[in-house]
Amino acid sequence: MDLAQTIEELFSDRDRAPGPEHFAAFEEFKQKLNSGEIRAAEKIDGRWRVNHWVKRGILLGFRIGRLENFSIDNNFRFYDKSTYPPKRFTMDDGFRVVPGGSSVRDGCYVGRGVTCMPPMFINVGAYVDSDTMVDSHALVGSCAQVGKRVHISAAAQIGGVLEPIGELPVIVEDDVLIGGNCGIYEGAIVREAAVLAAGTILTGGTPVYDLVKDAVYRKTENSPLEIPPGAVVVPGSRAITKGRGAELGISVYTPVIVKYRDQKTDASVRLEDILR
């Protein structure tokens, strides 16, 4: 029986008390998450797909884990599931964790050349690829998939989506720049080399207006919200055109694509290489 089948069977049998077989399968599973051998979602033939069994394995870990004391001393007390301690890493892993209060949870992949600026947090099931910067006060949520050479600026929030199991997590592809205080939620996909200006919020319920291509992008029943490759997205607003909101002249928030990457945009983000 392969690991995926074992995880599926253990997850489905909710009445079965956790035993050695649960912990043995889960430890093998978590080791493969840590190494990047398995991941919660992956790109196949140009399309991102959920690996349902991987999400079930993560949830299985929460179910079988017991509450454990991970406190450093009496001044720094921490309590979490025994199955998800802080991630253990060494110099050989090849990424930087700058002192100052960051936390990386076990069961996530962090690639070589990644820089973690304090305080930041990477949750279980996340995949953060090589040479990415996770800046201060940034969050990479459970199962979020982040590509190579991404800059997640200070206070940016990359939501995850662990449940529902069938939902895609947030996807950020290679060479994306995410400005400070941005938020990406509800399984949105940001395609390669896109730029999100500071304060941009992407959710499943908010349409994105493309002024360059005269298009509107939305999450649908069958597809997530997607930001096109190379798009430059800024916070914007759109006027309410009906009812009391129109009478009062009220506008609501919406992200707006104002241009696509050019030489000027590339020059403004080139300094990222110096930090690595």
Short mmCIF file of all heavy atoms in Angstrom, two decimals, residues 9-16 18 22 56-66 81 83-84:
data_model
loop_
_atom_site.label_atom_id
_atom_site.label_comp_id
_atom_site.label_asym_id
_atom_site.label_seq_id
_atom_site.Cartn_x
_atom_site.Cartn_y
_atom_site.Cartn_z
N GLU A 9 -6.97 6.00 3.95
CA GLU A 9 -7.69 5.03 4.79
C GLU A 9 -7.69 5.46 6.25
O GLU A 9 -8.72 5.37 6.93
CB GLU A 9 -7.05 3.65 4.63
CG GLU A 9 -7.30 3.03 3.26
CD GLU A 9 -6.89 1.57 3.21
OE1 GLU A 9 -6.48 1.01 4.26
OE2 GLU A 9 -6.99 0.97 2.12
N LEU A 10 -6.56 5.94 6.74
CA LEU A 10 -6.50 6.39 8.14
C LEU A 10 -7.37 7.61 8.36
O LEU A 10 -8.01 7.76 9.41
CB LEU A 10 -5.05 6.69 8.52
CG LEU A 10 -4.09 5.49 8.57
CD1 LEU A 10 -2.66 5.96 8.82
CD2 LEU A 10 -4.53 4.49 9.65
N PHE A 11 -7.41 8.50 7.39
CA PHE A 11 -8.24 9.70 7.52
C PHE A 11 -9.73 9.33 7.53
O PHE A 11 -10.52 9.92 8.29
CB PHE A 11 -7.95 10.66 6.36
CG PHE A 11 -8.78 11.91 6.39
CD1 PHE A 11 -8.43 12.99 7.19
CD2 PHE A 11 -9.93 12.01 5.62
CE1 PHE A 11 -9.20 14.14 7.22
CE2 PHE A 11 -10.71 13.16 5.63
CZ PHE A 11 -10.34 14.23 6.44
N SER A 12 -10.11 8.38 6.70
CA SER A 12 -11.53 8.01 6.57
C SER A 12 -12.05 7.28 7.80
O SER A 12 -13.23 7.38 8.14
CB SER A 12 -11.73 7.14 5.33
OG SER A 12 -11.37 7.84 4.16
N ASP A 13 -11.19 6.53 8.49
CA ASP A 13 -11.61 5.74 9.64
C ASP A 13 -11.55 6.60 10.91
O ASP A 13 -10.64 6.49 11.73
CB ASP A 13 -10.72 4.51 9.78
CG ASP A 13 -11.29 3.49 10.77
OD1 ASP A 13 -12.34 3.80 11.40
OD2 ASP A 13 -10.70 2.41 10.93
N ARG A 14 -12.55 7.45 11.09
CA ARG A 14 -12.54 8.40 12.19
C ARG A 14 -12.78 7.74 13.55
O ARG A 14 -12.44 8.32 14.59
CB ARG A 14 -13.60 9.48 11.96
CG ARG A 14 -13.31 10.35 10.74
CD ARG A 14 -14.42 11.35 10.49
NE ARG A 14 -14.13 12.17 9.33
CZ ARG A 14 -13.45 13.32 9.38
NH1 ARG A 14 -13.02 13.77 10.55
NH2 ARG A 14 -13.22 14.03 8.29
N ASP A 15 -13.36 6.56 13.56
CA ASP A 15 -13.66 5.88 14.83
C ASP A 15 -12.46 5.10 15.37
O ASP A 15 -12.50 4.61 16.50
CB ASP A 15 -14.84 4.92 14.65
CG ASP A 15 -16.12 5.67 14.30
OD1 ASP A 15 -16.27 6.83 14.76
OD2 ASP A 15 -16.95 5.11 13.56
N ARG A 16 -11.43 5.00 14.58
CA ARG A 16 -10.25 4.22 14.97
C ARG A 16 -9.32 5.07 15.83
O ARG A 16 -8.92 6.17 15.45
CB ARG A 16 -9.54 3.76 13.70
CG ARG A 16 -8.39 2.80 13.91
CD ARG A 16 -7.97 2.37 12.51
NE ARG A 16 -6.72 1.65 12.48
CZ ARG A 16 -6.13 1.27 11.34
NH1 ARG A 16 -6.69 1.56 10.19
NH2 ARG A 16 -4.99 0.61 11.38
N PRO A 18 -6.04 6.55 17.48
CA PRO A 18 -4.68 6.68 16.93
C PRO A 18 -3.74 5.63 17.50
O PRO A 18 -3.67 5.44 18.72
CB PRO A 18 -4.26 8.09 17.37
CG PRO A 18 -5.54 8.82 17.60
CD PRO A 18 -6.51 7.80 18.11
N HIS A 22 -0.78 5.05 12.67
CA HIS A 22 -1.10 6.45 12.36
C HIS A 22 0.17 7.31 12.40
O HIS A 22 0.45 8.07 11.47
CB HIS A 22 -2.10 7.02 13.36
CG HIS A 22 -3.50 6.49 13.22
ND1 HIS A 22 -3.87 5.27 13.72
CD2 HIS A 22 -4.61 7.04 12.64
CE1 HIS A 22 -5.16 5.07 13.46
NE2 HIS A 22 -5.62 6.13 12.81
N ARG A 56 -5.73 15.93 3.30
CA ARG A 56 -6.27 15.01 4.30
C ARG A 56 -5.17 14.57 5.26
O ARG A 56 -5.41 14.40 6.46
CB ARG A 56 -6.91 13.80 3.61
CG ARG A 56 -8.19 14.15 2.85
CD ARG A 56 -8.89 12.90 2.35
NE ARG A 56 -10.11 13.25 1.64
CZ ARG A 56 -10.23 13.32 0.32
NH1 ARG A 56 -9.18 13.02 -0.46
NH2 ARG A 56 -11.37 13.65 -0.25
N GLY A 57 -3.96 14.38 4.76
CA GLY A 57 -2.85 14.01 5.62
C GLY A 57 -2.54 15.10 6.64
O GLY A 57 -2.25 14.80 7.81
N ILE A 58 -2.61 16.35 6.23
CA ILE A 58 -2.38 17.47 7.16
C ILE A 58 -3.45 17.48 8.24
O ILE A 58 -3.16 17.63 9.43
CB ILE A 58 -2.34 18.80 6.39
CG1 ILE A 58 -1.11 18.84 5.46
CG2 ILE A 58 -2.31 19.98 7.36
CD1 ILE A 58 -1.12 19.99 4.48
N LEU A 59 -4.70 17.30 7.84
CA LEU A 59 -5.80 17.27 8.80
C LEU A 59 -5.68 16.06 9.73
O LEU A 59 -6.02 16.14 10.92
CB LEU A 59 -7.14 17.25 8.07
CG LEU A 59 -7.50 18.55 7.34
CD1 LEU A 59 -8.72 18.34 6.45
CD2 LEU A 59 -7.75 19.67 8.33
N LEU A 60 -5.19 14.93 9.19
CA LEU A 60 -4.98 13.75 10.03
C LEU A 60 -3.99 14.08 11.15
O LEU A 60 -4.17 13.65 12.30
CB LEU A 60 -4.45 12.60 9.18
CG LEU A 60 -4.13 11.30 9.93
CD1 LEU A 60 -5.40 10.66 10.50
CD2 LEU A 60 -3.40 10.31 9.01
N GLY A 61 -2.96 14.84 10.84
CA GLY A 61 -1.99 15.22 11.85
C GLY A 61 -2.60 16.00 12.99
O GLY A 61 -2.26 15.80 14.17
N PHE A 62 -3.54 16.88 12.68
CA PHE A 62 -4.23 17.62 13.73
C PHE A 62 -5.09 16.68 14.58
O PHE A 62 -5.18 16.84 15.80
CB PHE A 62 -5.11 18.73 13.13
CG PHE A 62 -4.33 19.93 12.68
CD1 PHE A 62 -4.15 20.19 11.33
CD2 PHE A 62 -3.80 20.81 13.60
CE1 PHE A 62 -3.44 21.30 10.91
CE2 PHE A 62 -3.08 21.93 13.19
CZ PHE A 62 -2.90 22.17 11.84
N ARG A 63 -5.70 15.72 13.93
CA ARG A 63 -6.60 14.81 14.65
C ARG A 63 -5.86 13.93 15.64
O ARG A 63 -6.30 13.71 16.77
CB ARG A 63 -7.38 13.94 13.67
CG ARG A 63 -8.46 13.10 14.36
CD ARG A 63 -8.93 11.96 13.48
NE ARG A 63 -9.44 12.42 12.20
CZ ARG A 63 -9.69 11.61 11.17
NH1 ARG A 63 -9.45 10.32 11.28
NH2 ARG A 63 -10.14 12.10 10.04
N ILE A 64 -4.70 13.40 15.23
CA ILE A 64 -4.01 12.44 16.09
C ILE A 64 -3.05 13.10 17.08
O ILE A 64 -2.58 12.46 18.02
CB ILE A 64 -3.25 11.40 15.24
CG1 ILE A 64 -2.09 12.04 14.48
CG2 ILE A 64 -4.20 10.66 14.30
CD1 ILE A 64 -1.23 11.05 13.71
N GLY A 65 -2.75 14.37 16.86
CA GLY A 65 -1.81 15.05 17.75
C GLY A 65 -2.44 15.37 19.10
O GLY A 65 -3.63 15.60 19.21
N ARG A 66 -1.61 15.39 20.12
CA ARG A 66 -2.06 15.80 21.45
C ARG A 66 -1.46 17.18 21.76
O ARG A 66 -0.47 17.58 21.14
CB ARG A 66 -1.60 14.79 22.51
CG ARG A 66 -0.10 14.73 22.67
CD ARG A 66 0.38 13.63 23.61
NE ARG A 66 1.81 13.69 23.81
CZ ARG A 66 2.72 13.25 22.95
NH1 ARG A 66 2.33 12.69 21.82
NH2 ARG A 66 4.02 13.36 23.21
N LYS A 81 -0.15 21.29 18.93
CA LYS A 81 -0.27 19.87 18.69
C LYS A 81 1.12 19.22 18.61
O LYS A 81 2.03 19.75 17.97
CB LYS A 81 -1.04 19.62 17.39
CG LYS A 81 -2.53 19.97 17.48
CD LYS A 81 -3.29 18.91 18.24
CE LYS A 81 -4.79 19.18 18.17
NZ LYS A 81 -5.57 17.95 18.29
N THR A 83 2.09 16.89 16.90
CA THR A 83 2.43 16.52 15.53
C THR A 83 2.98 17.69 14.72
O THR A 83 3.52 17.49 13.63
CB THR A 83 1.18 15.96 14.83
OG1 THR A 83 0.05 16.78 15.19
CG2 THR A 83 0.91 14.54 15.27
N TYR A 84 2.85 18.91 15.23
CA TYR A 84 3.30 20.09 14.48
C TYR A 84 4.19 21.00 15.34
O TYR A 84 3.82 22.12 15.67
CB TYR A 84 2.11 20.88 13.93
CG TYR A 84 1.38 20.13 12.84
CD1 TYR A 84 0.06 19.70 13.02
CD2 TYR A 84 2.01 19.84 11.64
CE1 TYR A 84 -0.60 19.01 12.02
CE2 TYR A 84 1.35 19.15 10.64
CZ TYR A 84 0.05 18.74 10.83
OH TYR A 84 -0.59 18.05 9.84
#
